[in-house]
Structure formats: structure tokens, C-alpha cells
Amino acid sequence: MIADLLQVPDELSARVPAEQRGPGLGRDAVRLLVSRGAAEVGHHAFGDLPDLLAAGDVLVVNTSRTLPAAVDGRVGDGRGRGEPVVVHFSTRADRWHPAGRAVAGRWAVELRSPDGHGSTRPRAGGPAGTVVRLPGGARLVLEGPVDPGSVRLWWARVTGARVAELMRRHGRPIRYGYTDRDQPLAAYQTVFAVDAPGGGSAEMPSAARPFTPELVARLVSKGVQFAPVALHTGVASAEAFEPPYPERFVVPPVTAWLVNAARARRRAAARRQRAAGSAPSGRIVAVGTTAVRALESAAGADGRVRAAAGWTDLVVTPERGVRAVDGLLTGLHEPTASHLLMLEAVASVTADGEALRRAYAAAVRGRYLWHEFGDLHLVLPD
């Protein structure tokens, strides 16, 4: 694991969005680290992406919109001021959830303590029955842990308000201490985000943030295709090495068709193009780990993708491997993040297990920026 050797200095945290770092800059003013196979590491601007992809390649993008999922509250029944907390609304339950039975209307939430600087710090969860007073007279009651082995996320019910309306009127985007200040919700929406009834992510699918309409148009004009999926992500403030929780996802029929058709073309052309000394097009490149999780949840053992919707508890590891994805465009992840297992799985398709470690070492040496406003990493087949 990268965590064994890599240390990421605090000054490499991206503290503000790219467009706020200087005059005339846009969202796409970030750097792009490119890994190809076992040894090659290249350094690019994100605007070079059309030159790094080919006609027939498919970018799988997450269309989930970001919710204003952080809401202030106070612990207690109102007979005193109570302890101030920030409620992070993570995942809305359907009638059944893979991590435990929960009826409709419940949310998985994380309670965090204000740090006095506009952000939050971890706080012990629970116990069951804890009451949190929310704005407008609403109340939240903790019912039980989402995972019996962890007390970070709890199932909770809200009375006195609909959660969607509560977030709309009183919520703000979830923010962590490595950022300088609050940002408007628009700063956390990607160009691919769409409104879906009952859908949304507690935190931004950030790999897609640097895309602009102009860059999308350049990619389309080159013949790169876009395939939408939705994976509604929960909170990412996981403990070290904590695997992701089950999340709701949708892979629509059109995406299954696009991916399967591209893979068929790629297989048919691979031998001829390799003999000519060029790489076959038709690569399936996921934009973000969320897109990988959604697409791989709909892929069979043969790599064929079928339209699917529901909950996924899939954890992509090097041992499981990837079946439908050839490449990955993603941010730079903390060395203790479980997402790195997914990156290792993608990188190991055409490279040895050291490829990702070398790429991350190059990112630290090159002073790349981490987190949701940071730089990007493109992992491609050799």
C-alpha cells in the first residue's frame, strides 16, 4: 500500500477552487498527472485531455448533484442550550439498505463538532435516542449505527421538516479543515450534474469538477463519447482504511449499450492496431471512483455491462479487479483512503503493483495538489 511509504505534506492540500487562485483562471486550471503502464509518468495541464484520448474512447461520468448536506444543530431536548454540532446528511434510506434494515424516510448521518474556523472535527457518535435540535423547529433522533462495527454513521429520523427542504433552506456544502473558507453550492456542482428526484450526493463527485462546457465540446468534436451513470455518494470523512458504505446507483440502458459497443470495437481492432504499432481506441475511462463503482456494479464476470439500479456494496480491490473499466481519471487520494485499492485494481490491468506508488511519489515531488479542488490523475493502459 502507498500508505506504507508516502507522506503528503499539508501544504499540498488545495485550499480554494482553481478559479480563485488567480485572475483569468477557470475550473480547468489544474494539473494532470498521467500514468501509462508500468513506468511512464507524464505531466500535463488538464486542458491537454483531448490530446490524451482518442476517437471512440468513452468517458463514464457521474451525474449525481451535490447536496447542501451540512446543517447546524444542538444536542439536547431544548431544556438547555446544548452542545453545538454539525449534522452531515450522508445517505437517504429506501425501504431496505444493505447495511441494515431501515424504513423509508431515515437518513444515515454523521455528527461532527464545529472547529471554530467554519469547518468541523470528528466527534463520537450516538448513543441511540440522542436528540439534535435543527433549524426551524425540526428534530433529529439517532436510532442505531449503520454498521454495528462502527459508530461514526447512524440511522436517524427527522421530524418537523422534510430533509430536502431543511437542506435547501439551512444547509451548506460539507467542508473540511484543509479548505480556507466556505464556498457556494455552485462551486461543488460539476458540469454533468442533473436534478433527480430524491437523488444527490453528500459530497461532490470531484473528479469531474475541472470539466467545462468548452472542454466537453472539444472532446465530443474529437469523437470521445460520454456515458452517464449516477452514484449518490455518502460522506467521505471515513476513518483510515474504512471501506465505502453501500450507496445508491443507476446505470441506464444507453450507458450499458455504449460501453459494450466500445469494448466490442476495441477487441475487434486490437490485433490489427497493435500490429501497426498503435493502441486500439474504445477505452472505457471512468471519471472518478464513483463512476468505477457504479459501472463495475453492473458488469458481469465477462465484462458485459447490463442496465442496473439499486444499492451497491461493491468494494473494488486488486484481488477482485475491474471488468469493464480500462482507465481512470481521478483526484489524488489520501494514503490511508480505501479508494487507493480501486486505483491499484485499475493500474494493475496493464502494470505491476508498483506503478501507482511511483505515480504518487511523482505527484509529491511535482507539488501536485490534493482533495476536491486539487489536481487530477489519469491512469491509462500501456
Side-chain angles (χ1 to χ4, degrees), residues 137-157:
R139 291 191 173 199
L140 176 147
V141 180
L142 300 184
E143 295 188 334
V146 171
D147 181 352
S150 171
V151 293
R152 188 174 67 90
L153 288 179
W154 285 71
W155 288 122
R157 57 183 172 84

Side-chain angles (χ1 to χ4, degrees), residues 4-380:
D4 297 338
L5 295 177
L6 183 67
Q7 296 293 324
V8 180
D10 288 342
E11 63 266 23
L12 296 187
S13 294
R15 304 195 180 281
V16 296
E19 61 271 25
Q20 297 179 18
R21 295 178 197 146
L25 297 180
R27 283 185 170 220
D28 57 350
V30 297
R31 300 168 68 192
L32 181 62
L33 183 76
V34 180
S35 300
R36 292 181 187 271
E40 183 181 344
V41 177
H43 303 275
H44 295 265
F46 188 73
D48 296 338
L49 185 61
D51 300 325
L52 298 166
L53 299 176
D57 287 342
V58 176
L59 288 175
V60 182
V61 297
N62 188 358
T63 62
S64 182
R65 64 189 176 96
T66 308
L67 301 172
V71 178
D72 292 326
R74 285 187 176 273
V75 173
D77 57 8
R79 286 190 279 268
R81 285 185 57 79
E83 173 199 356
V85 295
V86 178
V87 180
H88 287 180
F89 286 93
S90 179
T91 304
R92 179 179 59 83
D94 293 322
R95 292 183 180 177
W96 183 83
H97 181 279
R101 294 194 176 277
V103 298
R106 267 52 172 179
W107 279 76
V109 303
E110 179 185 19
L111 300 189
R112 293 179 60 95
S113 296
D115 66 359
H117 303 285
S119 182
T120 61
R121 57 178 177 265
R123 175 192 182 278
T130 296
V131 176
V132 179
R133 288 175 286 139
L134 300 172
R139 291 191 173 199
L140 176 147
V141 180
L142 300 184
E143 295 188 334
V146 171
D147 181 352
S150 171
V151 293
R152 188 174 67 90
L153 288 179
W154 285 71
W155 288 122
R157 57 183 172 84
V158 173
T159 59
R162 295 180 62 238
V163 173
E165 182 66 13
L166 187 71
M167 287 192 286
R168 188 187 69 80
R169 296 185 61 186
H170 304 287
R172 60 187 181 278
I174 289 175
R175 175 193 156 204
Y176 296 114
Y178 51 77
T179 56
D180 277 351
R181 56 185 177 271
D182 285 345
Q183 299 287 342
L185 183 60
Y188 290 87
Q189 302 293 9
T190 75
V191 71
F192 305 111
V194 297
D195 286 327
S201 290
E203 299 187 25
M204 173 177 57
S206 56
R209 189 186 190 278
F211 283 88
T212 63
E214 295 77 16
L215 183 60
V216 171
R218 286 176 56 204
L219 287 161
V220 170
S221 67
K222 184 164 185 174
V224 175
Q225 297 175 302
F226 287 84
V229 298
L231 186 126
H232 303 303
T233 67
V235 295
S237 57
E239 298 170 1
F241 305 111
E242 185 180 9
Y245 286 90
E247 294 165 321
R248 287 179 295 130
F249 80 105
V250 178
V251 175
V254 65
T255 290
W257 184 89
L258 282 170
V259 169
N260 292 334
R263 287 176 62 83
R265 290 194 305 269
R266 180 174 172 81
R267 286 193 299 268
R271 183 171 297 177
R272 181 179 69 253
Q273 290 181 281
R274 284 172 183 161
S278 62
S281 62
R283 295 168 295 190
I284 309 302
V285 180
V287 179
T289 57
T290 61
V292 175
R293 196 182 199 198
L295 195 66
E296 291 290 324
S297 296
D302 59 355
R304 184 172 181 80
V305 175
R306 295 165 177 81
W311 290 90
T312 177
D313 56 1
L314 175 67
V315 179
V316 178
T317 65
E319 292 74 24
R320 187 265 188 190
V322 289
R323 298 168 178 174
V325 172
D326 301 307
L328 173 61
L329 176 67
T330 185
L332 294 163
H333 299 280
E334 289 288 347
T336 57
S338 61
H339 289 311
L340 286 176
L341 293 173
M342 181 184 291
L343 266 70
E344 290 182 5
V346 176
S348 65
V349 171
T350 57
D352 60 72
E354 292 296 311
L356 192 60
R357 193 190 304 271
R358 285 192 288 270
Y360 266 61
V364 172
R365 288 195 304 271
R367 313 296 289 173
Y368 280 69
L369 297 180
W370 259 251
H371 301 303
E372 66 266 31
F373 298 138
D375 297 316
L376 275 290
H377 181 200
L378 177 63
V379 181
L380 289 175

